[in-house]
């Protein structure tokens, strides 16, 4: 049962994270179509790659917009450059490297995995692992108690007989102590 | 042990606060430059003053120069211009990169405000701008005698910026006391 809950929880976490990515893309794409000029390609198969690149590349001037959203002059220039490079049969990687060598990694909205970004990329996994660890620890703690004396003591019939002697002996001791005091007084 | 564990949320909070506090001082528009330490990109463009005259990076090879990206549409360039005039008077060689501008307007600007430039590269389409990773004007690059970009400033160069960012490197690579 617990394992099932754990599995469900972790699945949910993964589902939530992928859902997040999808929803942002849904929000961006209509704007992307609005922002981009009407462009002609010699080969229509370049168009989806063009739009994909505009989504993933950041406008260096306007910071929180991608090249598809931004209408700043620098974005217009970069869109033109990307079209030119696509027509020249450059691969997506070559185009990204071209821009990266000029505008630094900042321009990539999907940063590469390297020594600066491993924590960024790894953090979802780390958080899930941490969550699992906490859940496991949390679940393990009550276990010895569950099999032991207290849980049977709580509802069981054995409680009275087991606790009774302790109680009565305590009370006896208490009485003795009180009695002593009273005697002294 | 358990008692110490109670402090974990506090420690996390303090840690996060510190990270965010440090972030407050950072200028988000200050991008890392991909070109510092790299060679100045090759180019082949008309000069501003004479359309027929083609200038290339060879025209300032072997000299320590500032390459200043400017345009008449750039408001901050107006603020920066007197500083460039001053540096030029002090003997600093400045190459202008007239970026996505109109030739007539740019020439009028120089006539009106003084011309601190050795010469101007006329980059109407911003092609050298893209090779340099220019994303706004003004920008200023310090290029050494080997044609290597040693420093880049995005934004206005004023006395404070010159003193804090440029002067030491400039004096080191020219071997002069300014």
């Amino acid at each position: 049962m617990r394992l099932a809950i754990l599995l469900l929880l972790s699945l949910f976490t993964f589902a939530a994270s992928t859902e997040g990515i999808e929803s942002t893309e849904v929000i961006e794409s209509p704007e992307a179509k609005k922002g981009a000029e009407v462009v002609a390609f010699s080969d229509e198969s370049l168009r989806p790659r063009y739009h994909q690149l505009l989504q993933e590349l950041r406008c260096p001037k306007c910071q929180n917009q991608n090249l598809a959203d931004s209408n700043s002059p620098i974005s217009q220039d970069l869109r033109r450059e990307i079209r030119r490079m696509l027509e020249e049969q450059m691969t997506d990687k070559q185009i990204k490297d071209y821009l990266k060598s000029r505008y630094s990694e900042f321009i990539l909205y999907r940063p590469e995995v390297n020594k600066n970004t491993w924590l960024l990329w790894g953090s979802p996994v780390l958080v899930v692992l941490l969550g699992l660890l906490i859940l496991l620890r949390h679940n393990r703690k009550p276990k010895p108690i569950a099999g032991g004396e207290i849980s049977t003591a709580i509802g069981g019939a054995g409680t009275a007989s087991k606790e009774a002697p302790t109680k009565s002996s305590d009370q006896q001791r208490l009485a003795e102590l009180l009695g002593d005091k009273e005697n002294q007084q | 042990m358990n008692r110490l564990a109670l402090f974990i949320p506090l420690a996390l909070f303090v840690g996060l606060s510190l990270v965010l506090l440090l972030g407050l001082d950072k200028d988000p528009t200050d991008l890392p430059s991909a070109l510092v330490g790299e060679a100045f990109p090759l180019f082949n463009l008309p000069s501003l003053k004479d359309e027929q005259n083609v200038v290339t990076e060879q025209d300032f090879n072997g000299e320590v120069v500032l390459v200043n990206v400017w345009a008449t549409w750039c408001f901050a360039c107006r603020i920066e211009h007197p500083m460039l005039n001053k540096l030029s008077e002090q003997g600093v060689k400045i190459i202008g990169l007239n970026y996505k501008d109109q030739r007539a307007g740019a020439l009028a600007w120089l006539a009106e405000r003084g011309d601190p430039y050795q010469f101007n590269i006329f980059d109407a389409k911003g092609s050298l701008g893209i090779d340099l990773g220019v994303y706004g004007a003004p920008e200023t690059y310090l290029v050494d005698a080997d044609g290597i970009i040693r420093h880049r400033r995005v934004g206005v160069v004023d006395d404070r910026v010159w003193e804090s960012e440029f002067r030491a490197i400039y004096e080191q690579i020219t071997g002069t006391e300014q």
Side-chain angles (χ1 to χ4, degrees):
Chain A
M1 182 57 199
R2 286 211 171 96
L3 200 69
I5 293 174
L6 269 180
L7 271 172
L8 264 176
L9 268 175
S10 53
L11 273 178
F12 179 76
T13 330
F14 280 119
S17 60
T18 48
E19 204 182 342
I21 290 165
E22 273 162 17
S23 65
T24 52
E25 274 169 9
V26 169
I27 293 164
E28 276 169 4
S29 54
E31 279 174 299
K33 279 172 191 132
K34 207 167 45 179
E37 308 89 331
V38 181
V39 289
F41 285 101
S42 62
D43 176 1
E44 274 303 308
S45 70
L46 295 176
R47 193 178 296 276
R49 280 177 58 207
Y50 174 68
H51 285 297
Q52 181 65 29
L53 281 168
L54 294 196
Q55 292 290 339
E56 284 184 21
L57 292 165
R58 189 180 196 171
C59 164
K61 184 68 193 166
C62 19
Q63 306 266 327
N64 293 328
Q65 286 183 304
N66 57 23
L67 287 182
D69 286 342
S70 163
N71 231 348
S72 71
I74 185 71
S75 291
Q76 292 168 11
D77 287 356
L78 290 179
R79 286 200 290 265
R80 196 188 60 221
E81 279 292 297
I82 290 169
R83 279 200 297 281
R84 178 185 63 77
M85 288 188 276
L86 282 170
E87 294 286 355
E88 284 173 11
Q89 307 298 324
M90 282 169 74
T91 64
D92 288 2
K93 181 159 188 331
Q94 282 171 326
I95 293 173
K96 283 183 183 175
D97 285 345
Y98 173 92
L99 291 168
K100 201 180 81 180
S101 69
R102 286 157 176 79
Y103 294 94
S104 81
E105 243 177 50
F106 178 87
I107 200 159
L108 306 176
Y109 254 136
R110 198 188 293 269
E112 291 167 343
V113 184
N114 60 30
K115 69 177 192 323
N116 288 327
T117 56
W118 66 267
L119 191 61
L120 181 72
W121 280 104
S123 57
V125 179
L126 286 178
V127 168
V128 168
L129 286 179
L130 190 74
L132 285 176
L133 200 76
I134 290 172
L135 272 175
L136 282 175
R137 277 187 63 128
H138 192 73
N139 282 338
R140 202 181 292 153
K141 257 184 199 163
K143 261 182 194 162
I145 302 168
E149 293 166 22
I150 295 173
S151 80
T152 46
I154 288 166
T159 324
S161 61
K162 259 183 186 169
E163 268 182 52
T166 17
K167 254 186 194 165
S168 62
S169 65
D170 281 349
Q171 266 165 357
Q172 216 173 347
R173 206 165 123 69
L174 186 66
E176 274 170 27
L177 288 169
L178 284 172
D180 284 349
K181 269 196 179 166
E182 271 164 18
N183 286 345
Q184 277 169 9
Q185 277 171 354
Chain B
M1 177 55 210
N2 262 343
R3 286 197 152 236
L4 280 180
L6 291 176
F7 285 97
I8 290 175
L10 179 69
L12 285 175
F13 172 76
V14 170
L16 187 65
S17 305
L18 279 177
V19 168
L20 294 176
L21 190 71
L22 288 176
L24 279 181
D25 274 343
K26 282 195 170 174
D27 181 1
T29 59
D30 194 12
L31 309 190
S33 176
L35 277 152
V36 171
E38 303 285 324
F40 197 88
L42 310 182
F43 66 94
N44 202 326
L45 288 165
S47 86
L48 175 65
K49 286 197 171 150
D50 180 5
E51 212 173 330
Q52 307 303 318
N53 186 14
V54 169
V55 287
T56 71
E57 73 289 342
Q58 294 297 324
D59 288 299
F60 54 84
N61 216 357
E63 291 176 287
V64 177
V65 291
L66 290 183
V67 177
N68 176 248
V69 181
W70 67 282
T72 52
W73 46 260
C74 151
F75 184 76
C77 299
R78 276 160 222 253
I79 301 163
E80 188 183 45
H81 205 79
M83 180 66 192
L84 298 176
N85 284 334
K86 192 171 119 187
L87 285 172
S88 166
E89 278 164 28
Q90 289 171 4
V92 179
K93 286 185 174 148
I94 307 172
I95 312 297
L97 172 55
N98 186 237
Y99 177 63
K100 298 183 76 168
D101 207 352
Q102 309 285 332
R103 195 183 289 272
L107 288 170
W109 164 295
L110 292 181
E112 187 190 330
R113 292 165 205 270
D115 183 356
Y117 304 109
Q118 305 282 310
F119 62 87
N120 265 283
I121 308 156
F122 185 63
D123 188 11
K125 285 188 175 167
S127 61
L128 176 55
I130 285 179
D131 283 342
L132 274 171
V134 169
Y135 59 91
E139 286 192 20
T140 303
Y141 298 78
L142 176 55
V143 184
D144 71 13
D146 298 322
I148 306 292
I149 296 172
R150 299 295 292 266
H151 187 69
R152 175 200 200 182
R153 166 74 188 179
V154 177
V156 172
V157 174
D158 53 19
D159 279 310
R160 189 183 55 82
V161 173
W162 177 261
E163 287 299 325
S164 62
E165 294 185 16
F166 283 91
R167 190 181 179 134
I169 313 174
Y170 182 82
E171 286 179 354
Q172 182 211 329
I173 58 182
T174 51
T176 55
E177 286 279 313
Q178 198 203 348

